[in-house]
Amino acid sequence: MANDTTSAGPLAGQSVLVVEDEPLLRRRLAAQLERLEAEVTQAETVAAARVHAGATDFDFALLDVHLPDGLGTDLLKAGLLKKATGVIVMTAQGAVEGAVEALKLGALDYLVKPIDAELLPLVLARARNARQSARAAEHAAQSRDDAEFYFGVSLQPLREQMEKILSADCRMQGRLPPVLITGETGTGKSSLARILHRRGPRARQPLVEVNCPALPDTLAESELFGHERGAFTDARATRLGLFEAANGGTLFLDELPSLSPAVQAKVLTALEDGQIRRLGGTRSISIDVRIIAATSRDLKVAVAEREFREDLYHRLDVFRLHIPPLRERGEDIERLAEFLLDRFRGRHRLPSRQITEAGFRRLRAHRWPGNVRELGHEIERALVFEDVGVMDFAHMGPGAGGPQARDADMVTDWLNPAWRLPAEGFSLDEAINRLVQLALRQSDENVSAAARLLGVTRDFLRYRIHGARKTGTTPDGNERA
């Protein structure tokens, strides 16, 4: 978040109701709260507090227990203060019973008179954290061990880039730039986001995960930024948004491009200004949230198709982590399979199993469109349902290896992940010709488009096409009849 909002007070944008019959104490508390930039409403009786509570949803309320016309706790019993309001009761020394009753009714804390107004920031911070934690718990990340993400040899560049980000985070400590994680579905973007949070300087603060495609368009803005009472038909009470719930911590927005352009614009404002505004509200609320966004889409394409805001893309693209698909991870697939096998075996308390060489060949041959998630499902399914000491994944279809009679055929094509360089040697020239033909087919024989796919010039491509015709090879590298 680029703009400096550190000058804002700790209660900027927060509304507080002070219910106290002693004028001097009431004014002193109000003055201290206003110095913290809160919006303060004062009441000296239960009746006056009822009127204010009926007209406004407050973020916090300071309630004296004993008032001229009743008990402050009556406001809690009657449900006049909404659940989203953080209530702190004030009681005279020796009358703590009233405070205990208030805590049972939902108050977050209490203060014993005489009250030191200088303690208010600390008490309100505790109350605010309690409200924030309750809201964050609705979208809290599942407790998982960071060790469940397997890097292996092929993901060492990813690990190194992640370590650079963590080092930068520790140097900055304060407001942290966003992180963009890209990769196909099932590659482990959520797991990587959890590692970044739990190993970073905000590990003790909340990590709130949001599956953006699961948010209906009509509710996405309210869920992310909160709403005031009456903002729409069913808004019967103020509700904290997930940006507020993640304040001080991390907000993980999975598949962010699924949000509407209007909501994307508000996300951009939160990133740039460090402020949000609840739906139906007029107050700007300061927030300090580290955004980690993830997507399986090519955001440049989404921008070109006007499905994602270009300004938001550039704002997010500060730290980027890309997780390659499983089919590009070579022999790491074998080690990852053993890693997942050990995890599932321990989870289900099953005896040791071994993957056969035929099983490994089938795993290497499969294209894994679902990536690590799909591999995990296949291993868990075989582990649970096949009551044998070894695993060869014979249940996987012919496209993934098929019957054992096809095992030898699976590894004769160098485009197959299971292929190995033959001892008798390999024709690189024929392989290049074949790639050229594949690119031409994919681009409907458009030479310019094929050259872009291969990352070469049109002149080079024409040279290779001419060479292939002279040698008389087909796209498969076989001699023509």
Side-chain angles (χ1 to χ4, degrees):
M1 300 181 187
N3 290 4
D4 182 12
T5 58
T6 56
S7 59
L11 293 180
Q14 304 291 301
S15 60
V16 184
L17 173 64
V18 178
V19 186
E20 169 59 55
D21 62 324
E22 185 183 334
L24 183 60
L25 176 58
R26 186 175 67 250
R27 287 195 292 269
R28 188 157 56 88
L29 292 172
Q32 175 66 6
L33 291 167
E34 287 170 351
R35 280 195 291 273
L36 300 172
E37 300 190 22
E39 298 178 6
V40 182
T41 300
Q42 301 181 44
E44 60 184 32
T45 63
V46 173
R50 284 176 181 270
V51 173
H52 291 305
T56 305
D57 283 351
F58 293 95
D59 293 299
F60 300 100
L62 295 175
L63 300 182
D64 188 12
V65 174
H66 297 285
L67 295 164
D69 58 344
L71 299 175
T73 51
D74 291 343
L75 296 169
L76 289 170
K77 288 180 180 178
L80 292 174
L81 293 171
K82 304 302 179 183
K83 290 183 178 180
T85 302
V87 177
I88 299 163
V89 296
M90 303 177 291
T91 185
Q93 197 163 8
V96 179
E97 295 82 3
V100 173
E101 181 186 0
L103 294 175
K104 292 179 180 178
L105 292 170
L108 299 177
D109 210 338
Y110 71 92
L111 291 167
V112 177
K113 296 180 179 179
I115 295 172
D116 182 358
E118 298 299 322
L119 291 178
L120 276 180
L122 178 61
V123 174
L124 287 172
R126 286 203 304 261
R128 187 173 186 174
N129 288 340
R131 292 174 68 225
Q132 180 181 337
S133 297
R135 181 73 173 97
E138 299 174 19
H139 288 261
Q142 299 177 10
S143 177
R144 297 182 182 179
D145 191 333
D146 294 346
E148 289 193 1
F149 189 93
Y150 180 79
F151 285 93
V153 175
S154 61
L155 294 190
Q156 285 311 303
L158 174 68
R159 183 196 285 271
E160 291 169 4
Q161 180 65 13
M162 184 190 72
E163 294 295 343
K164 290 179 181 178
I165 293 174
L166 289 169
S167 296
D169 288 351
C170 291
R171 288 195 302 270
M172 288 183 286
Q173 290 292 325
R175 293 192 182 279
L176 302 179
V179 177
L180 178 61
I181 303 176
T182 59
E184 294 181 4
T185 298
T187 50
K189 297 185 293 293
S190 298
S191 297
L192 200 61
R194 295 183 190 113
I195 295 174
L196 280 171
H197 173 77
R198 291 172 182 156
R199 290 188 54 195
R202 300 189 175 206
R204 296 180 180 273
Q205 302 303 319
L207 168 61
V208 177
E209 295 189 12
V210 185
N211 181 19
C212 294
L215 298 179
D217 288 343
T218 54
L219 296 178
E221 184 176 354
S222 169
E223 191 70 10
L224 290 172
F225 304 101
H227 63 253
E228 301 289 356
R229 181 170 61 172
F232 49 88
T233 304
D234 294 328
R236 298 184 178 89
T238 296
R239 181 173 173 82
L240 263 69
L242 295 177
F243 269 88
E244 285 184 83
N247 194 33
T250 302
L251 181 63
F252 174 53
L253 299 174
D254 196 11
E255 293 301 340
L256 178 61
S258 66
L259 298 177
S260 70
V263 177
Q264 290 177 25
K266 294 196 72 170
V267 172
L268 177 63
T269 299
L271 274 168
E272 292 189 331
D273 299 340
Q275 292 187 333
I276 62 165
R277 183 174 294 176
R278 294 176 189 156
L279 188 63
T282 58
R283 298 172 290 138
S284 292
I285 300 171
S286 296
I287 48 113
D288 176 14
V289 176
R290 201 300 164 69
I291 297 291
I292 300 179
T295 181
S296 58
R297 296 195 60 184
D298 184 333
L299 287 187
K300 290 184 179 179
V301 173
V303 168
E305 295 175 352
R306 298 177 180 266
E307 294 180 358
F308 195 73
R309 292 181 62 100
E310 185 174 7
D311 47 6
L312 179 56
Y313 166 65
H314 292 304
R315 187 66 187 88
L316 287 171
D317 197 22
V318 179
F319 291 153
R320 183 192 292 186
L321 294 170
H322 177 70
I323 308 177
L326 184 57
R327 61 183 173 275
E328 295 179 4
R329 294 179 60 178
E331 292 188 358
D332 265 4
I333 293 176
E334 299 179 19
R335 300 183 184 93
L336 176 58
E338 292 176 330
F339 172 83
L340 293 171
L341 176 60
D342 285 342
R343 183 208 297 177
F344 290 128
R345 187 181 57 78
R347 178 182 299 175
H348 298 297
R349 298 181 181 180
L350 294 172
S352 179
R353 301 277 183 88
Q354 297 293 323
I355 301 176
T356 65
E357 182 55 38
F360 279 129
R361 284 199 297 271
R362 287 188 171 91
L363 295 181
R364 289 194 300 266
H366 192 52
R367 299 298 292 165
W368 300 113
N371 291 289
V372 179
R373 184 182 294 124
E374 182 186 0
L375 175 62
H377 290 167
E378 288 292 347
I379 290 174
E380 188 171 18
R381 182 184 296 112
L383 183 65
V384 172
F385 291 110
E386 294 183 12
D387 189 19
V388 292
V390 295
M391 302 169 66
D392 60 10
F393 301 101
H395 66 282
M396 297 175 68
Q404 290 186 0
R406 288 179 53 105
D407 284 347
D409 297 333
M410 293 192 308
V411 295
T412 58
D413 186 346
W414 59 262
L415 282 175
N416 193 298
W419 183 81
R420 297 293 181 271
L421 284 164
E424 63 273 17
F426 174 72
S427 174
L428 183 60
D429 196 61
E430 288 183 4
I432 293 173
N433 286 341
R434 183 180 178 194
L435 282 172
V436 167
Q437 296 301 326
L438 287 173
L440 286 169
R441 282 207 306 271
Q442 188 172 325
S443 60
D444 295 325
E445 304 300 322
N446 184 310
V447 174
S448 296
R452 285 195 296 271
L453 288 174
L454 294 169
V456 299
T457 65
R458 286 179 297 176
D459 289 342
F460 175 85
L461 198 59
R462 290 193 182 99
Y463 168 77
R464 297 304 310 190
I465 294 171
H466 179 68
R469 287 171 180 163
K470 285 181 66 176
T471 58
T473 55
T474 69
D476 294 324
N478 298 321
E479 291 291 325
R480 289 193 181 98

